[in-house]
Amino acid sequence: MSIENVKMRGSHEVIADTRTKEYNAQSKRELALKILASMGVKKERAPEDLEEIRSEVVAAYNDKTSGKFKALGAAIANQLSDVAARQGFARKLLKKVETVQGADIRVDVKYPNSVATVAISPSQVETRILRDKHIYPVPVDIAENIMIHKQEIDRTTGDILSEKLLEGQQAIQVAEDRLWKAAADSMVGIRNPQQLLTGGLTPTSLGLMYNEIVNNGIPASTFVAASDVISDFFGPAFSNWFDPVSQYEIVSTGMVGSLLGLSIITDAFREQTLKVLNAGEVYVISSPEYHGGFADRGPVESTELDGAYQGTNTRGWFMAETVALVVHNPRSVVKGKRA
């Protein structure tokens, strides 16, 4: 039996590609090639040829006049925006709010006369009384310096681009997701009590969490789970829900499939430094328009930096974005915790 594309039982949805060990994404090497292509490097090369990728980065690093290094930073920033949109919890779970130059960011609210939690800094949220049908969240700057030391250029034989993209994800995507998690956690117990998953996740406990949402008169849309809870899908409790191949061959970067009409997402297959959920945590979330809003003032931007001004033998980029995030409906969140 071919297991190149693992699917949910009774569905044509591909949830993992076991050849690349990734979900709906290219390999790191292909990503590095894409970044180079974005800065104008068009030469064909084998995706596994890290030495050629490295040589392009070294050339850009050592070139002080052509603007190649600046272009490399802009290409990495573009990839950071793309990866956050595909993999980030915040951007998947919250409604995209369009922004207008010169105007405040406005998020429409389904249920006024309640509470809302807004991001007030890259790492903090604040809960407010919600009186109106609109809320104006505070714009927040999420930023990080991504630097390459001359010693890295001299000694590494690895994929420098992927390493710097990972650093950027830690600064940008993880910050967004942690803000969403903090806002969602602030809603727990206001309307829906936290569920205790004694013995782990079961179809019954998943159904109870699902019902907490729909009994509020709103749809249940997404199930968010930590890595240890995802493993419960492959135990005896869910033995009739997945075919045997899916039980043992699911390999993804976030989207596992669906159950009870819920999309299932997880950070189980992220790099360790990109995880945001604690062990045993699960959430059932309503659809974005009932849950909250997310806005950005354009994609991640890159500004070239020269470490010599700070007395270091480095070059790099200041990566920054301006976002706004709000969770405005306590009815839209049910959290569970493994006992």
Side-chain angles (χ1 to χ4, degrees), residues 68-109:
K68 287 184 178 180
F69 193 76
K70 180 179 180 180
L72 182 59
I76 292 174
N78 181 64
Q79 290 301 315
L80 288 174
S81 296
D82 181 59
V83 171
R86 287 188 292 108
Q87 298 182 10
F89 291 166
R91 293 173 184 258
K92 285 180 180 178
L93 298 171
L94 299 167
K95 182 180 179 180
K96 173 67 175 177
V97 178
E98 299 301 326
T99 60
V100 178
Q101 186 66 34
D104 291 334
I105 297 170
R106 190 185 82 175
V107 178
D108 296 331
V109 174

Short mmCIF file of all heavy atoms in Angstrom, two decimals, residues 68-109:
data_model
loop_
_atom_site.label_atom_id
_atom_site.label_comp_id
_atom_site.label_asym_id
_atom_site.label_seq_id
_atom_site.Cartn_x
_atom_site.Cartn_y
_atom_site.Cartn_z
N LYS A 68 22.78 43.23 -2.35
CA LYS A 68 22.31 41.84 -2.28
C LYS A 68 21.92 41.44 -0.86
O LYS A 68 20.96 40.70 -0.67
CB LYS A 68 23.40 40.89 -2.80
CG LYS A 68 23.59 40.92 -4.30
CD LYS A 68 24.61 39.86 -4.72
CE LYS A 68 24.76 39.84 -6.23
NZ LYS A 68 25.76 38.82 -6.66
N PHE A 69 22.67 41.91 0.12
CA PHE A 69 22.38 41.54 1.49
C PHE A 69 21.05 42.15 1.94
O PHE A 69 20.25 41.50 2.62
CB PHE A 69 23.50 41.98 2.42
CG PHE A 69 23.43 41.36 3.79
CD1 PHE A 69 23.81 40.04 4.00
CD2 PHE A 69 23.00 42.09 4.88
CE1 PHE A 69 23.74 39.46 5.26
CE2 PHE A 69 22.93 41.53 6.14
CZ PHE A 69 23.30 40.21 6.33
N LYS A 70 20.79 43.38 1.54
CA LYS A 70 19.52 44.02 1.84
C LYS A 70 18.38 43.25 1.19
O LYS A 70 17.33 43.01 1.80
CB LYS A 70 19.53 45.46 1.35
CG LYS A 70 18.24 46.21 1.61
CD LYS A 70 18.34 47.65 1.11
CE LYS A 70 17.03 48.40 1.37
NZ LYS A 70 17.12 49.81 0.89
N ALA A 71 18.58 42.83 -0.07
CA ALA A 71 17.55 42.06 -0.78
C ALA A 71 17.31 40.71 -0.11
O ALA A 71 16.17 40.22 -0.06
CB ALA A 71 17.97 41.86 -2.23
N LEU A 72 18.38 40.11 0.43
CA LEU A 72 18.23 38.84 1.13
C LEU A 72 17.35 39.01 2.37
O LEU A 72 16.47 38.19 2.64
CB LEU A 72 19.61 38.31 1.52
CG LEU A 72 19.67 36.96 2.24
CD1 LEU A 72 19.05 35.87 1.39
CD2 LEU A 72 21.10 36.60 2.60
N GLY A 73 17.56 40.08 3.11
CA GLY A 73 16.72 40.36 4.28
C GLY A 73 15.27 40.57 3.90
O GLY A 73 14.35 40.08 4.59
N ALA A 74 15.03 41.29 2.80
CA ALA A 74 13.66 41.52 2.36
C ALA A 74 12.98 40.22 1.97
O ALA A 74 11.79 40.00 2.24
CB ALA A 74 13.65 42.50 1.18
N ALA A 75 13.74 39.31 1.34
CA ALA A 75 13.18 38.02 0.94
C ALA A 75 12.85 37.17 2.16
O ALA A 75 11.82 36.48 2.20
CB ALA A 75 14.17 37.29 0.04
N ILE A 76 13.71 37.19 3.19
CA ILE A 76 13.43 36.45 4.42
C ILE A 76 12.20 37.02 5.11
O ILE A 76 11.34 36.27 5.60
CB ILE A 76 14.65 36.48 5.36
CG1 ILE A 76 15.82 35.67 4.76
CG2 ILE A 76 14.29 35.93 6.74
CD1 ILE A 76 17.10 35.77 5.55
N ALA A 77 12.09 38.35 5.15
CA ALA A 77 10.91 38.98 5.75
C ALA A 77 9.64 38.55 5.03
O ALA A 77 8.62 38.28 5.67
CB ALA A 77 11.05 40.50 5.70
N ASN A 78 9.70 38.46 3.72
CA ASN A 78 8.54 38.02 2.95
C ASN A 78 8.16 36.59 3.31
O ASN A 78 6.97 36.26 3.45
CB ASN A 78 8.84 38.12 1.46
CG ASN A 78 7.66 37.70 0.60
OD1 ASN A 78 6.61 38.33 0.62
ND2 ASN A 78 7.83 36.62 -0.15
N GLN A 79 9.15 35.73 3.49
CA GLN A 79 8.88 34.34 3.88
C GLN A 79 8.31 34.27 5.29
O GLN A 79 7.45 33.43 5.56
CB GLN A 79 10.16 33.51 3.77
CG GLN A 79 10.62 33.26 2.35
CD GLN A 79 9.57 32.54 1.52
OE1 GLN A 79 8.97 31.58 1.99
NE2 GLN A 79 9.35 33.01 0.32
N LEU A 80 8.77 35.14 6.18
CA LEU A 80 8.22 35.16 7.54
C LEU A 80 6.73 35.47 7.52
O LEU A 80 5.94 34.85 8.23
CB LEU A 80 8.96 36.18 8.40
CG LEU A 80 10.39 35.83 8.82
CD1 LEU A 80 11.03 37.00 9.54
CD2 LEU A 80 10.40 34.59 9.71
N SER A 81 6.33 36.42 6.70
CA SER A 81 4.91 36.75 6.58
C SER A 81 4.13 35.57 6.03
O SER A 81 3.03 35.24 6.50
CB SER A 81 4.73 37.98 5.68
OG SER A 81 5.30 39.13 6.24
N ASP A 82 4.69 34.90 5.03
CA ASP A 82 4.01 33.78 4.39
C ASP A 82 3.87 32.60 5.35
O ASP A 82 2.80 32.00 5.46
CB ASP A 82 4.78 33.36 3.15
CG ASP A 82 4.12 32.20 2.42
OD1 ASP A 82 2.96 32.35 2.01
OD2 ASP A 82 4.77 31.14 2.27
N VAL A 83 4.94 32.28 6.08
CA VAL A 83 4.90 31.15 7.00
C VAL A 83 3.94 31.42 8.15
O VAL A 83 3.18 30.54 8.57
CB VAL A 83 6.32 30.84 7.54
CG1 VAL A 83 6.26 29.82 8.67
CG2 VAL A 83 7.21 30.31 6.42
N ALA A 84 3.94 32.64 8.68
CA ALA A 84 3.02 32.98 9.77
C ALA A 84 1.57 32.85 9.32
O ALA A 84 0.70 32.39 10.07
CB ALA A 84 3.29 34.40 10.28
N ALA A 85 1.29 33.22 8.07
CA ALA A 85 -0.08 33.12 7.56
C ALA A 85 -0.50 31.67 7.40
O ALA A 85 -1.66 31.32 7.63
CB ALA A 85 -0.18 33.85 6.22
N ARG A 86 0.43 30.78 7.02
CA ARG A 86 0.09 29.38 6.80
C ARG A 86 0.08 28.56 8.07
O ARG A 86 -0.71 27.63 8.22
CB ARG A 86 1.08 28.76 5.79
CG ARG A 86 0.87 29.21 4.36
CD ARG A 86 1.73 28.42 3.40
NE ARG A 86 3.16 28.70 3.57
CZ ARG A 86 4.03 27.87 4.10
NH1 ARG A 86 3.65 26.70 4.55
NH2 ARG A 86 5.31 28.19 4.20
N GLN A 87 0.98 28.88 9.00
CA GLN A 87 1.18 28.02 10.15
C GLN A 87 0.75 28.64 11.48
O GLN A 87 0.51 27.91 12.44
CB GLN A 87 2.67 27.63 10.26
CG GLN A 87 3.19 26.85 9.07
CD GLN A 87 4.65 26.45 9.25
OE1 GLN A 87 5.21 26.59 10.33
NE2 GLN A 87 5.26 25.96 8.20
N GLY A 88 0.65 29.95 11.55
CA GLY A 88 0.39 30.60 12.83
C GLY A 88 -1.02 30.38 13.33
O GLY A 88 -1.99 30.42 12.56
N PHE A 89 -1.17 30.16 14.64
CA PHE A 89 -2.49 30.02 15.26
C PHE A 89 -3.29 31.31 15.14
O PHE A 89 -4.47 31.30 14.79
CB PHE A 89 -2.35 29.65 16.73
CG PHE A 89 -1.82 28.27 16.99
CD1 PHE A 89 -1.38 27.92 18.25
CD2 PHE A 89 -1.77 27.32 15.98
CE1 PHE A 89 -0.90 26.64 18.52
CE2 PHE A 89 -1.30 26.05 16.22
CZ PHE A 89 -0.85 25.70 17.50
N ALA A 90 -2.67 32.43 15.49
CA ALA A 90 -3.40 33.70 15.54
C ALA A 90 -4.05 34.02 14.20
O ALA A 90 -5.22 34.41 14.14
CB ALA A 90 -2.45 34.83 15.95
N ARG A 91 -3.32 33.85 13.14
CA ARG A 91 -3.84 34.22 11.82
C ARG A 91 -4.85 33.20 11.29
O ARG A 91 -5.64 33.53 10.41
CB ARG A 91 -2.68 34.40 10.84
CG ARG A 91 -1.81 35.60 11.18
CD ARG A 91 -0.58 35.67 10.31
NE ARG A 91 0.28 36.76 10.69
CZ ARG A 91 0.37 37.93 10.03
NH1 ARG A 91 -0.39 38.13 8.97
NH2 ARG A 91 1.19 38.87 10.43
N LYS A 92 -4.82 31.98 11.80
CA LYS A 92 -5.82 30.99 11.41
C LYS A 92 -7.11 31.13 12.20
O LYS A 92 -8.20 30.88 11.67
CB LYS A 92 -5.26 29.57 11.63
CG LYS A 92 -4.24 29.11 10.60
CD LYS A 92 -3.79 27.70 10.93
CE LYS A 92 -2.76 27.20 9.93
NZ LYS A 92 -2.27 25.84 10.27
N LEU A 93 -7.01 31.50 13.47
CA LEU A 93 -8.15 31.45 14.36
C LEU A 93 -8.92 32.76 14.48
O LEU A 93 -10.07 32.77 14.91
CB LEU A 93 -7.70 31.02 15.76
CG LEU A 93 -7.06 29.62 15.83
CD1 LEU A 93 -6.44 29.40 17.21
CD2 LEU A 93 -8.07 28.55 15.52
N LEU A 94 -8.27 33.86 14.10
CA LEU A 94 -8.89 35.18 14.22
C LEU A 94 -9.24 35.72 12.84
O LEU A 94 -8.57 35.44 11.85
CB LEU A 94 -7.94 36.14 14.93
CG LEU A 94 -7.57 35.74 16.36
CD1 LEU A 94 -6.40 36.58 16.85
CD2 LEU A 94 -8.76 35.88 17.30
N LYS A 95 -10.30 36.52 12.79
CA LYS A 95 -10.74 37.09 11.52
C LYS A 95 -9.76 38.15 11.05
O LYS A 95 -9.36 39.03 11.81
CB LYS A 95 -12.14 37.70 11.67
CG LYS A 95 -12.69 38.26 10.38
CD LYS A 95 -14.08 38.85 10.57
CE LYS A 95 -14.63 39.42 9.28
NZ LYS A 95 -15.98 40.00 9.46
N LYS A 96 -9.39 38.08 9.79
CA LYS A 96 -8.51 39.08 9.21
C LYS A 96 -9.26 40.40 9.11
O LYS A 96 -10.34 40.49 8.53
CB LYS A 96 -8.06 38.63 7.82
CG LYS A 96 -7.28 39.68 7.03
CD LYS A 96 -5.92 39.97 7.65
CE LYS A 96 -5.13 40.92 6.77
NZ LYS A 96 -3.83 41.30 7.37
N VAL A 97 -8.68 41.44 9.68
CA VAL A 97 -9.28 42.77 9.68
C VAL A 97 -8.50 43.65 8.72
O VAL A 97 -7.28 43.80 8.85
CB VAL A 97 -9.27 43.38 11.09
CG1 VAL A 97 -9.85 44.79 11.07
CG2 VAL A 97 -10.04 42.49 12.06
N GLU A 98 -9.19 44.21 7.76
CA GLU A 98 -8.54 45.09 6.81
C GLU A 98 -8.21 46.43 7.46
O GLU A 98 -8.99 46.95 8.27
CB GLU A 98 -9.42 45.30 5.57
CG GLU A 98 -9.73 44.02 4.81
CD GLU A 98 -8.49 43.30 4.32
OE1 GLU A 98 -7.50 43.99 3.95
OE2 GLU A 98 -8.49 42.06 4.31
N THR A 99 -7.08 46.98 7.11
CA THR A 99 -6.66 48.27 7.66
C THR A 99 -6.70 49.34 6.58
O THR A 99 -6.53 49.05 5.39
CB THR A 99 -5.25 48.18 8.25
OG1 THR A 99 -4.33 47.79 7.22
CG2 THR A 99 -5.20 47.16 9.38
N VAL A 100 -6.92 50.57 7.01
CA VAL A 100 -6.95 51.72 6.12
C VAL A 100 -5.90 52.72 6.58
O VAL A 100 -5.86 53.05 7.77
CB VAL A 100 -8.35 52.37 6.10
CG1 VAL A 100 -8.35 53.60 5.20
CG2 VAL A 100 -9.40 51.37 5.65
N GLN A 101 -5.08 53.18 5.66
CA GLN A 101 -4.04 54.14 6.01
C GLN A 101 -4.68 55.41 6.59
O GLN A 101 -5.62 55.97 6.03
CB GLN A 101 -3.22 54.49 4.77
CG GLN A 101 -2.03 55.38 5.04
CD GLN A 101 -0.97 54.69 5.90
OE1 GLN A 101 -0.77 53.49 5.79
NE2 GLN A 101 -0.30 55.45 6.75
N GLY A 102 -4.19 55.83 7.73
CA GLY A 102 -4.69 57.04 8.35
C GLY A 102 -5.90 56.85 9.25
O GLY A 102 -6.39 57.81 9.83
N ALA A 103 -6.37 55.60 9.38
CA ALA A 103 -7.54 55.32 10.21
C ALA A 103 -7.18 54.31 11.29
O ALA A 103 -6.28 53.48 11.11
CB ALA A 103 -8.70 54.80 9.36
N ASP A 104 -7.88 54.38 12.42
CA ASP A 104 -7.69 53.40 13.48
C ASP A 104 -8.15 52.02 13.01
O ASP A 104 -9.01 51.90 12.13
CB ASP A 104 -8.48 53.79 14.73
CG ASP A 104 -7.92 55.02 15.41
OD1 ASP A 104 -6.71 55.28 15.24
OD2 ASP A 104 -8.69 55.73 16.08
N ILE A 105 -7.59 50.98 13.61
CA ILE A 105 -8.02 49.62 13.32
C ILE A 105 -9.31 49.34 14.09
O ILE A 105 -9.36 49.53 15.31
CB ILE A 105 -6.92 48.61 13.72
CG1 ILE A 105 -5.66 48.86 12.89
CG2 ILE A 105 -7.40 47.18 13.53
CD1 ILE A 105 -4.44 48.10 13.37
N ARG A 106 -10.33 48.88 13.38
CA ARG A 106 -11.62 48.61 14.01
C ARG A 106 -12.01 47.16 13.82
O ARG A 106 -11.98 46.63 12.71
CB ARG A 106 -12.72 49.50 13.41
CG ARG A 106 -14.02 49.46 14.18
CD ARG A 106 -15.11 50.24 13.48
NE ARG A 106 -15.75 49.47 12.41
CZ ARG A 106 -16.80 49.90 11.72
NH1 ARG A 106 -17.31 51.10 11.96
NH2 ARG A 106 -17.33 49.15 10.77
N VAL A 107 -12.35 46.50 14.92
CA VAL A 107 -12.80 45.11 14.88
C VAL A 107 -14.29 45.08 15.24
O VAL A 107 -14.70 45.59 16.28
CB VAL A 107 -12.01 44.24 15.88
CG1 VAL A 107 -12.53 42.81 15.87
CG2 VAL A 107 -10.52 44.27 15.54
N ASP A 108 -15.08 44.49 14.35
CA ASP A 108 -16.51 44.36 14.61
C ASP A 108 -16.76 43.24 15.62
O ASP A 108 -16.09 42.19 15.59
CB ASP A 108 -17.26 44.06 13.32
CG ASP A 108 -17.17 45.20 12.32
OD1 ASP A 108 -17.03 46.36 12.76
OD2 ASP A 108 -17.20 44.94 11.11
N VAL A 109 -17.73 43.44 16.49
CA VAL A 109 -18.01 42.53 17.61
C VAL A 109 -19.41 41.95 17.45
O VAL A 109 -20.36 42.69 17.20
CB VAL A 109 -17.88 43.28 18.95
CG1 VAL A 109 -18.30 42.39 20.10
CG2 VAL A 109 -16.45 43.77 19.14
#
